[in-house]
Amino acid sequence: MGELTEALAEAVTSQDVVQAFANYVLPPFGADGLLFHITEGGRINVVGAVGIPEGFLKLIEGFPLADHTVIHEVVRTRAPLLIESKAELFRTHPSLKRLIEATPKEAWAFLPVIASGHTIGSCVVSFSEPHAFSDEERTLLTALSGLVGQALERARLYDVEHARAQELQRGLLPRTLPRLPAATAAARYLPTGRGEEVGGDWYDLIPLSADRVALVIGDVMGHGITEAAVMGRLRTAVRTLAELDMPPDELFGRLNDLVWELGEDSYATCLYADFDPVARTCSYCLAGHLPPIVIHPDGTVHRPDIAPDPPLGAANPPFTTHQLHLPDECLLVLCTDGLVESDTRDVDQGLAQLGQILAEVAVPTVRFGATSHDDVRPLEELCDTVVSTLLPDREQTTDDAGLLIVRTRCTAADDVASCTLPEDPQAAGQARAYIRKQLAVWGLDDLVLTTELLVSELVGNVIRHAKGPIRLRLLRSRSLICEVYDGSLSTPRIRHASYTDEGGRGLQLVAALSSRWGARYLHDSKCIWTEQDLPQ
């Protein structure tokens, strides 16, 4: 009983309580079965079991309490009931014939589970042979039933709170990652194996304009529901700022201000990368985070050796922007420190091991150029391989871990077309002629009329309200992307034109004709872009 008391004091979850009871109670009595019930809503709910067939557990789960006369009696009287054989159980409780015939057990000790003065359920210790209970065994079993109640009630409260916290965290992470023309991704989030808290790791894949993709991974320092909530706020903020097409350094400046406002003890590490499939570059910023790892089609693993800026909440802008030049197709691997750091290895050792794993299995698993671009299964398999190798025993980890593997694809040269336009009213006409010619080459004649209207409005706005140089770029992807560049940083906005106004409806027309549109700003110019769905 002393050993059991110590084990129950250390038990955290309901399963810990069940296992402790099985370890210290079953062997001394020669028992081989254990079943914990909780009575809720007039029904029997199984909390945990050891040595009980799965078929019997399905039969007893949800069984009406009033129909199980043995457990009903134990709960009502709050006294143990010891049954020494099946014959005795048939004789005293014939209504349980169906359950008796379904169980392989031959003797039982039904013990009430009492917590805070209330009977919350029962514990059933069972034997594969008939068993005659001695007076000492009866006394000890009665004492044990009182000992386990408080531990089980505490563990169930933990289970409920922990389940709510994990549900909150899962709700804050992406349910699915989008499959984009330039990127396909798979990810894993693994909560800490030990301890009572959830964490603040998160990841995301965000579509940007011109087929660009934002890759995000971060870690709010600390564990708990508060950190999970902060993670949700930061992920929402990143998505909002990314949709404004902010460059990584400017986005981190805004995000750093948000973390500052959360308090002096709030910090977060983060990696934000902007992959441009046309330019074949990946621009990224690091705030106290591990750099990305690049796997080339020939199996070469590249780990950038750069010093990150301080974590968000401790940094002073500006943030440094780094750039990678990527091949036509590659893998980008982003992770949090919980994946590579443990009690037995430091971060550098973990990153070296991660690089070795990727060098050995990434190319055979993903098979560059040999699988469908939309096929995410190889990436899922690679995630599983990485996690199972680096974290073979999740129950012993003390930090949550995040992993994001992205397969990037650059835009083919014949899917991009651009031209320079003059700074005069003839520019719109030249743009329309260029569009007719290029869409004919691409076999998109059905989109010519709409695209001509869109470009006429955008180029006309540049002539009237902005300045050159003017450039037109078309991208053929899952949609037709049309971009007009000019040398002005003024912000376009939709006006509420009255019935008598002769202008001011251009952007309304753009919004109506395109599936999506927006503006992004470069160092000394801006781009107005539209997207149109391709014909079926």
Side-chain angles (χ1 to χ4, degrees):
M1 286 189 67
E3 293 174 342
L4 176 62
T5 301
E6 183 178 351
L8 291 177
E10 297 177 354
V12 176
T13 67
S14 298
Q15 293 305 314
D16 292 341
V17 173
V18 173
Q19 195 60 52
F21 203 86
N23 292 341
Y24 294 100
V25 175
L26 298 189
F29 287 89
D32 54 12
L34 177 65
L35 183 59
F36 273 93
H37 308 106
I38 293 296
T39 56
E40 294 175 323
R43 293 188 176 273
I44 298 171
N45 296 322
V46 176
V47 175
V50 174
I52 306 297
E54 187 66 28
F56 184 79
L57 294 178
K58 292 180 179 179
L59 184 63
I60 198 69
E61 176 65 31
F63 200 86
L65 176 63
D67 294 346
H68 199 304
T69 53
V70 177
I71 295 180
H72 184 269
E73 180 181 346
V74 169
V75 171
R76 180 179 58 82
T77 62
R78 301 172 64 177
L81 182 60
L82 308 181
I83 306 294
E84 297 185 344
S85 66
K86 268 190 177 181
E88 179 184 349
L89 188 57
F90 268 119
R91 185 177 66 255
T92 56
H93 297 84
S95 62
L96 298 180
K97 179 181 177 181
R98 179 187 174 200
L99 292 178
I100 297 173
E101 292 177 344
T103 178
K105 303 302 181 182
E106 297 289 338
W108 302 266
F110 294 91
L111 311 174
V113 176
I114 303 172
S116 302
H118 302 281
T119 305
I120 62 174
S122 65
C123 168
V124 184
V125 178
S126 54
F127 303 79
S128 293
E129 301 292 338
H131 185 84
F133 294 95
S134 65
D135 292 339
E136 290 82 0
E137 287 178 328
R138 293 173 182 270
T139 302
L140 183 56
L141 285 170
T142 301
L144 291 173
S145 67
L147 184 63
V148 76
Q150 296 296 335
L152 184 61
E153 182 181 47
R154 184 185 69 249
R156 291 185 70 242
L157 288 174
Y158 165 80
D159 289 342
V160 171
E161 292 301 320
H162 193 60
R164 287 175 179 171
Q166 289 189 323
E167 183 178 355
L168 167 66
Q169 189 163 43
R170 284 193 296 268
L172 295 173
L173 291 171
R175 293 187 180 274
T176 59
L177 293 172
R179 299 187 183 186
L180 305 173
T184 305
R188 292 291 183 272
Y189 168 76
L190 299 98
T192 176
R194 294 185 296 185
E196 304 179 7
E197 308 282 5
V198 293
D201 288 17
W202 90 94
Y203 56 84
D204 216 338
L205 191 73
I206 308 170
L208 304 176
S209 63
D211 269 356
R212 293 161 37 250
V213 183
L215 290 60
V216 192
I217 194 164
D219 182 4
V220 177
M221 295 184 183
H223 295 87
I225 293 180
T226 300
E227 284 70 20
V230 170
M231 174 268 286
R233 294 180 64 180
L234 294 182
R235 177 173 174 251
T236 301
V238 169
R239 292 192 69 91
T240 301
L241 296 172
E243 290 177 359
L244 296 176
D245 264 323
M246 286 187 176
D249 56 341
E250 185 177 346
L251 184 146
F252 265 21
R254 303 290 183 90
L255 206 60
N256 187 62
D257 292 341
L258 175 60
V259 178
W260 269 106
E261 294 173 0
L262 296 177
E264 295 181 355
D265 55 349
S266 294
Y267 303 99
T269 67
C270 189
L271 186 162
Y272 180 90
D274 180 341
F275 169 58
D276 187 337
V278 178
R280 306 191 175 198
T281 59
C282 180
S283 303
Y284 64 96
C285 284
L286 300 173
H289 205 86
L290 302 174
I293 299 177
V294 185
I295 297 93
H296 292 256
D298 61 359
T300 303
V301 177
H302 174 56
R303 287 171 46 201
D305 185 13
I306 57 176
D309 289 305
L312 300 172
N316 291 311
F319 290 87
T320 304
T321 300
H322 310 277
Q323 192 170 83
L324 293 170
H325 293 275
L326 302 180
D328 288 345
E329 192 175 6
C330 71
L331 293 181
L332 290 174
V333 179
L334 287 63
C335 67
T336 61
D337 57 0
L339 182 71
V340 294
E341 186 177 27
S342 68
D343 295 336
T344 59
R345 64 171 179 253
D346 59 27
V347 172
D348 291 335
Q349 292 173 329
L351 286 174
Q353 187 176 355
L354 173 59
Q356 182 179 0
I357 297 169
L358 295 172
E360 294 174 353
V361 303
V363 174
T365 302
V366 175
R367 299 186 298 276
F368 289 100
T371 59
S372 169
H373 286 173
D374 288 336
D375 191 358
V376 75
R377 287 174 297 177
L379 298 180
E380 298 284 356
E381 295 174 6
L382 183 57
C383 283
D384 291 337
T385 300
V386 169
V387 169
S388 61
T389 306
L390 288 175
L391 302 175
D393 188 359
R394 282 294 303 155
E395 297 301 321
Q396 300 302 315
T397 59
T398 57
D399 193 8
D400 48 343
L403 171 66
L404 176 65
I405 300 180
V406 182
R407 181 176 183 173
T408 63
R409 292 175 293 275
C410 294
T411 304
D414 56 2
D415 286 332
V416 183
S418 64
C419 69
T420 302
L421 300 173
E423 297 181 49
D424 60 55
Q426 295 182 3
Q430 294 182 18
R432 289 192 294 269
Y434 186 81
I435 285 169
R436 288 192 294 269
K437 178 181 177 182
Q438 186 58 49
L439 295 191
V441 173
W442 285 343
L444 299 176
D445 300 275
D446 292 344
L447 295 181
V448 169
L449 180 59
T450 305
T451 308
E452 284 183 332
L453 288 172
L454 289 171
V455 170
S456 294
E457 289 297 333
L458 297 181
V459 174
N461 281 343
V462 174
I463 299 299
R464 287 190 295 268
H465 307 296
K467 63 180 182 178
I470 309 173
R471 185 165 65 94
L472 170 65
R473 187 171 77 165
L474 301 175
L475 303 177
R476 180 179 60 172
S477 181
R478 293 183 185 176
S479 61
L480 176 63
I481 302 169
C482 177
E483 300 177 323
V484 174
Y485 294 80
D486 65 68
S488 171
L489 296 177
S490 59
T491 302
R493 59 186 180 87
I494 296 179
R495 290 177 52 190
H496 293 280
S498 66
Y499 290 108
T500 58
D501 287 345
E502 296 182 357
R505 299 179 180 84
L507 291 182
Q508 293 182 26
L509 181 62
V510 169
L513 294 177
S514 59
S515 60
R516 211 166 63 113
W517 77 280
R520 75 175 175 273
Y521 296 89
L522 310 176
H523 295 295
D524 55 356
S525 61
K526 74 171 182 294
C527 167
I528 310 297
W529 56 268
T530 66
E531 290 186 9
Q532 301 173 75
D533 295 330
L534 297 183
Q536 294 295 326

